[in-house]
Amino acid sequence: MILRLVIADGSQSPAVAESVEVAEDGALTGWRSVSDGGVGWFAGRLPAAELAEIQALIGAAGAAPPPARPRPEAAEEVLELTATGPVRIAGLTDGPGDWPRLAAASRRLLDRLTDFPRAAVGVSRTPGGGARLEHRGTDPVRVDLGTVAVTATAWRGYYEPAGDWAGEVTGPGEVEAGPEWTYDLPIGFEPAGPDVTVHLTADFVILSGPTRIPVRAKYTPDA
Amino acid sequence: MASANQRTPEFEPPEPVGVRRPDSGPTGPVMLPGAGNAATARMLQGAPAGPAGLAELSRLAGNSQFARFVAQPPAPGGGAPPTPGGVGAGAHGGPVQELQVKLSRLQASALPLTEDGRYGPLTEAAVRNFQTSAGIVPVTGVADPVTKAAIDAAFAALPAPVRVQLALGATGPDVGFAQQKLNAVGANPRLVINAVFDAAMMVAVIAYEIAALHRFPNGTVDAALWTALDAGVKGGFVASEGASATPVEQNTPSGTADSLGAQVAGTSLHPVTGVGGLIQGPAVHELQQKLNTAGASPKLKDDGSFGPLTRTALQAFQSGRVPPLPATGTADKATWDALDVAAPASMTGAVERQWTEVVGGATYSMVGAGASHYSWEIQKTRMLVTAKVNFVGLAAPGAWFGHVEAMWNQYQGVDAASGRSLPIDFKMSSGGGGDANTVQVKPGTGRANAGEWFVADPNAAKTVPHEFGHLIGLQDEYQLHPGDYVRVTGHEPPVGDAAGPAVAPNVIATNLQNAMVARNSANAHAASVGAGVKGGAFAQRVVQEYAKLATVTVPAVAAVAGPPPVPAQPAVPLTGDLLFDLNAALPSDNNSYETIQTFSYSSGSIMGDPGRVSDPHDHGAQPRHLGEFVAILGRALGGTWEAKRR
């Protein structure tokens, strides 16, 4: 491991509890709990150029930065490097300097992670306007769909609110989702108009052995 | 801003009439503070009253505390509210808010009315209900003078809160309310609102008896003392509001609220202006106005542009100080300090506020380039407060600007003595430069923070005004220590749940510490929330018991891959401050957040946590949030200005 970033925020539900880790050979692994790109486990390999960029940033950063207090409402962000051990970086905002650049690059790795789903579930919009959970990756994942909280938010033009809906769908309970698996969630919301965009969220539970982890899959096509 | 499912605070109903017998309580042996033990013991045994006794007792709590009590101003809240004329649908302002308060207490509304000063359908329905029940015809839903008089009479006839005589060892909500009021009249040190009549409270009671009642103390909160406390301080009881008879704890005002974040020591509130700093805009206007007041000759044109004349005048001002300041042409902290002395007032100003806050046991800040930047201008017909934002990333949706104005433009400054008033408007503008706040606009949704907003935030109508509050220097009002809560809100911490579960506070405190040592947030949650601990007085007894435990160091732990992942954590020496320790030792998850919530205080205002705290009396933008700007009006225009709903 040359870099590990963990972001956690228990003030919202489901909690944000996400991680990304880069190995010396570029292997990229991690977990997403609240994400546009699916929730669950992710694993892949960074192209050589991206790995070299990360390595260069790590090398430039060197010793741990001076403590920087985070802004109000900031989540906890802990970056762990071989040279420094765990360092809190929530106070490092984007900007010039080796550490801010490394912090920003590390945060981007969490988004990059979703390009490599291994055992994940995402949500999308069906042609009929409903929500659809779909497996992503190669490995199965156990999910509890006993109760799925769904929200739909419609936008017109440039993010002008055009209505919203929230409801709960009673699903089949615990199921194993593998490749090609989907599950449709009806929503009672049919926004009309050629320039309307609908965003969706679906809250459910992923099972990891005996551990139940509440997650939120998001569909934000313009994100 | 935190988001969560809404919860209804739970409050204890008033105790029945009668004298509360001291009980053993959970606090163990009661020890009075050393200096006064002997005097107090004699007094409690009926020692003779008189000057000698009083003189001896005056040593009990220290002269400073007596002085504070004696120096208390006349009881606030005793004056009659302004009398509104006939008001109906669409009306707004302070009189409507007063009407809403009364309608809720008279249980004319279905549920407690949100006191927003807006005469909407719920207020109108409540007026109709009142008119019907009072036999007023026709039933119009308009608070005409007849209806208003009847409402006022009915409100005045509401029974006063039932007060119970309290003595050493008593427990329960009434003790908590007495503690609130003793704090509000100046108890020093402040009492923890723990609903236990303990030694610390005894000291405050005795001091107040001597200083305010001028009597030989008997160490009890009896009818006379309650009368004095109730006359001096509003609130401090639970009322049934609305036809639903929803119990709502009435806030106890205490001191003057300061809702701003704590300014970083040694920093200036003025941005560096002139050579090497801002060379145009409100900061330069303020500089030119103050230089003129300080005697610039020739007088500067107040054009907000830092040109050669302004530079020369600034250098002359710097050279003219005794001892002289370096004539740099740069208005730095030292120069601004001198200008503020020479010219305290101006009609325009720019603020760069570096501040910190402690929330949930963690410290957050807006400092350096991330400091709060805002400006204000006293115009002919209004005061305008502007926070300029440099939105980077995506463009800011247009609706965001309207959200700020909808939430914040509800008040006016009023100088009661002169009758002057001036609306105070807030505006978020888009722009760059050294006096702009930087906000990253990110795609999709997520939890915003002061410098990072999400373009598709479905709760932007609340998120953006909350974050805007940070841009004008306001701190958060959730998960606060008691002292911060009273400073920021101007209310005493609520009594809340005084009884607690059937588990002793010291046992819960020990279980919490064990959970911290094990870094186990689920155990911490089970030991507190799961055991039935709710926010309020009982929870504060747990906080006190926790502070008595021997501190230990929680060993470092390696990262846990999870899921859920947990970062590596260094060793944590526990401090005895429960909020700090919970935050430092436990992973940041839902369990730890709810546990911290239980042992801290939050308001329901826009700067608080309205998702978790529902408070019809304290919601949205509050007058306290405008404190800085009414003070500015006073300096610039003279008089004593207050923020009132318009």
Side-chain angles (χ1 to χ4, degrees):
Chain A
M1 186 277 290
I2 60 172
L3 176 153
R4 176 191 294 122
L5 173 67
V6 178
I7 297 182
D9 180 1
S11 70
Q12 57 179 331
S13 187
V16 172
E18 309 196 306
S19 64
V20 61
E21 185 173 319
V22 182
E24 288 183 14
D25 64 356
L28 187 72
T29 55
W31 162 266
R32 297 293 308 264
S33 64
V34 179
S35 165
D36 300 301
V39 289
W41 289 268
F42 298 80
R45 189 173 298 278
L46 283 176
E50 289 182 50
L51 176 61
E53 183 183 345
I54 290 295
Q55 288 171 325
L57 287 168
I58 292 171
R69 286 174 176 153
R71 289 177 296 211
E73 280 89 45
E76 178 183 72
E77 299 181 338
V78 178
L79 181 63
E80 193 172 349
L81 306 176
T82 308
T84 64
V87 175
R88 294 182 184 276
I89 62 165
L92 293 177
T93 53
D94 292 353
D98 294 328
W99 267 98
R101 277 199 287 270
L102 176 59
S106 303
R107 293 175 187 126
R108 285 195 297 272
L109 285 174
L110 266 178
D111 293 328
R112 188 75 170 94
L113 193 61
T114 57
D115 294 334
F116 307 102
R118 194 188 87 201
V121 173
V123 64
S124 64
R125 194 164 181 231
T126 66
R132 173 173 292 162
L133 295 176
E134 57 195 20
H135 177 269
R136 293 176 186 172
T138 55
D139 295 358
V141 52
R142 284 196 67 76
V143 295
D144 185 346
L145 304 181
T147 302
V148 183
V150 184
T151 69
T153 308
W155 305 95
R156 180 175 287 111
Y158 188 70
Y159 297 100
E160 295 296 329
D164 55 44
W165 178 87
E168 289 189 343
V169 176
T170 301
E174 292 187 17
V175 297
E176 183 169 282
E180 310 300 322
W181 174 90
T182 63
Y183 185 82
D184 284 358
L185 303 163
I187 60 175
F189 184 57
E190 293 182 11
D195 64 342
V196 169
T197 300
V198 175
H199 292 177
L200 303 170
T201 68
D203 293 2
F204 54 98
V205 170
I206 290 183
L207 303 167
S208 174
T211 305
R212 301 169 58 82
I213 307 119
V215 294
R216 171 172 294 171
K218 302 193 291 188
Y219 170 73
T220 50
D222 42 3
Chain B
M1 179 174 61
S3 63
N5 294 331
Q6 182 168 312
R7 297 178 190 169
T8 302
E10 300 194 15
F11 301 102
E12 290 294 303
E15 295 294 318
V17 177
V19 176
R20 183 185 301 277
R21 292 182 177 279
D23 59 36
S24 56
T27 55
V30 175
M31 298 295 292
L32 292 171
N37 280 350
T40 307
R42 283 196 295 278
M43 178 273 295
L44 292 174
Q45 291 162 13
L54 283 174
E56 182 177 10
L57 284 165
S58 69
R59 294 196 301 274
L60 179 61
N63 288 335
S64 61
Q65 183 170 166
F66 284 76
R68 284 170 62 91
F69 282 134
V70 171
Q72 282 301 306
T83 304
V87 291
H92 54 85
V96 177
Q97 186 177 12
E98 289 289 338
L99 189 66
Q100 291 169 326
V101 171
K102 292 173 180 175
L103 289 167
S104 286
R105 290 288 308 284
L106 293 169
Q107 300 184 289
S109 56
L111 295 169
L113 289 171
T114 298
E115 294 157 12
D116 59 0
R118 307 277 153 180
Y119 203 114
L122 296 178
T123 303
E124 182 177 344
V127 171
R128 287 180 182 276
N129 287 341
F130 179 83
Q131 288 172 324
T132 301
S133 62
I136 297 172
V137 289
V139 174
T140 60
V142 174
D144 54 49
V146 171
T147 302
K148 176 68 176 54
I151 289 172
D152 289 346
F155 184 74
L158 283 173
V162 175
R163 298 304 192 186
V164 179
Q165 181 164 321
L166 306 170
L168 188 66
T171 61
D174 299 290
V175 178
F177 295 137
Q179 290 170 326
Q180 290 179 330
K181 297 200 171 208
L182 288 165
N183 280 341
V185 297
N188 185 20
R190 285 180 48 80
L191 300 174
V192 175
I193 309 302
N194 62 7
V196 175
F197 196 143
D198 54 14
M201 181 170 172
M202 172 65 85
V203 172
V205 167
I206 290 172
Y208 189 68
E209 288 184 88
I210 297 169
L213 300 187
H214 308 294
R215 75 181 187 190
F216 192 85
N218 60 30
T220 64
V221 182
D222 57 14
L225 198 140
W226 270 121
T227 299
L229 288 175
D230 283 339
V233 184
K234 289 196 296 187
F237 62 97
V238 175
S240 294
E241 294 195 8
S244 60
T246 303
V248 178
E249 185 170 337
Q250 308 294 298
N251 292 323
T252 302
S254 185
T256 302
D258 177 2
S259 302
L260 295 164
Q263 188 181 348
V264 175
T267 61
S268 174
L269 289 176
H270 297 278
V272 175
T273 308
V275 177
L278 298 173
I279 55 170
Q280 59 183 5
V284 180
H285 278 292
E286 182 177 12
L287 178 66
Q288 291 168 328
Q289 290 172 18
K290 293 199 166 195
L291 286 170
N292 282 339
T293 303
S297 180
K299 280 231 179 255
L300 297 171
K301 182 180 178 185
D302 180 9
D303 60 2
S305 181
F306 190 85
L309 293 177
T310 305
R311 176 176 178 161
T312 301
L314 176 58
Q315 289 172 320
F317 175 82
Q318 290 172 320
S319 302
R321 298 305 95 196
V322 181
L325 295 167
T328 57
T330 303
D332 55 8
K333 181 178 186 303
T335 302
W336 277 115
D337 287 347
L339 273 168
D340 287 343
V341 171
S346 60
M347 298 299 280
T348 307
V351 182
E352 180 181 286
R353 184 176 291 277
Q354 318 254 355
W355 58 274
T356 65
E357 64 175 12
V358 176
V359 170
T363 302
Y364 300 87
S365 69
M366 292 187 71
V367 296
S372 299
H373 295 88
Y374 52 104
S375 63
W376 48 267
E377 182 182 10
I378 301 172
Q379 302 172 342
K380 283 184 179 174
T381 57
R382 65 173 180 170
M383 181 181 200
L384 179 62
V385 180
T386 304
K388 186 164 62 171
V389 181
N390 180 22
F391 291 105
V392 298
L394 299 177
W400 285 3
F401 300 88
H403 294 328
V404 168
E405 296 181 15
M407 176 61 69
W408 285 100
N409 292 359
Q410 301 184 36
Y411 292 93
Q412 59 186 334
V414 175
D415 176 30
S418 67
R420 291 175 296 177
S421 65
L422 204 58
I424 302 176
D425 284 346
F426 292 85
K427 179 182 176 185
M428 182 170 73
S429 69
S430 182
D435 55 354
N437 304 277
T438 297
V439 171
Q440 279 207 330
V441 182
K442 294 201 154 189
T445 61
R447 183 175 184 251
N449 65 50
E452 195 175 277
W453 304 358
F454 289 85
V455 72
D457 181 352
N459 300 313
K462 290 186 176 174
T463 307
V464 170
H466 176 94
E467 303 303 344
F468 177 85
H470 291 320
L471 302 186
I472 57 172
L474 299 172
Q475 77 154 79
D476 284 304
E477 296 180 0
Y478 56 87
Q479 297 205 336
L480 302 180
H481 286 90
D484 286 338
Y485 178 86
V486 72
R487 171 181 62 81
V488 168
T489 66
H491 303 150
E492 284 295 315
V495 173
D497 181 11
V503 185
N506 63 331
V507 173
I508 295 171
T510 301
N511 291 342
L512 284 169
Q513 191 183 64
N514 290 338
M516 284 184 252
V517 170
R519 306 255 190 195
N520 191 318
S521 60
N523 284 358
H525 189 273
S528 52
V529 180
V533 180
K534 297 169 184 168
F538 179 84
Q540 294 309 305
R541 299 213 286 274
V542 176
V543 172
Q544 290 180 297
E545 291 298 325
Y546 178 78
K548 296 176 187 172
L549 298 177
T551 55
V552 297
T553 295
V554 179
V557 290
V560 177
V566 179
Q569 299 280 11
V572 176
L574 299 181
T575 64
D577 181 308
L578 183 56
L579 300 190
F580 282 129
D581 291 351
L582 288 168
N583 174 69
L586 298 180
S588 176
D589 59 18
N590 291 151
N591 283 325
S592 61
Y593 194 86
E594 287 188 17
T595 303
I596 291 171
Q597 181 82 11
T598 301
F599 296 105
S600 57
Y601 294 102
S602 304
S603 88
S605 83
I606 186 63
M607 298 311 296
D609 189 353
R612 289 182 173 84
V613 178
S614 174
D615 186 344
H617 306 285
D618 189 355
H619 58 88
Q622 286 290 310
R624 61 177 179 269
H625 298 137
L626 285 76
E628 177 180 17
F629 305 110
V630 291
I632 288 169
L633 286 173
R635 283 200 300 273
L637 305 178
T640 302
W641 293 69
E642 292 180 278
K644 301 277 191 187
R645 282 196 180 273
R646 39 168 128 143

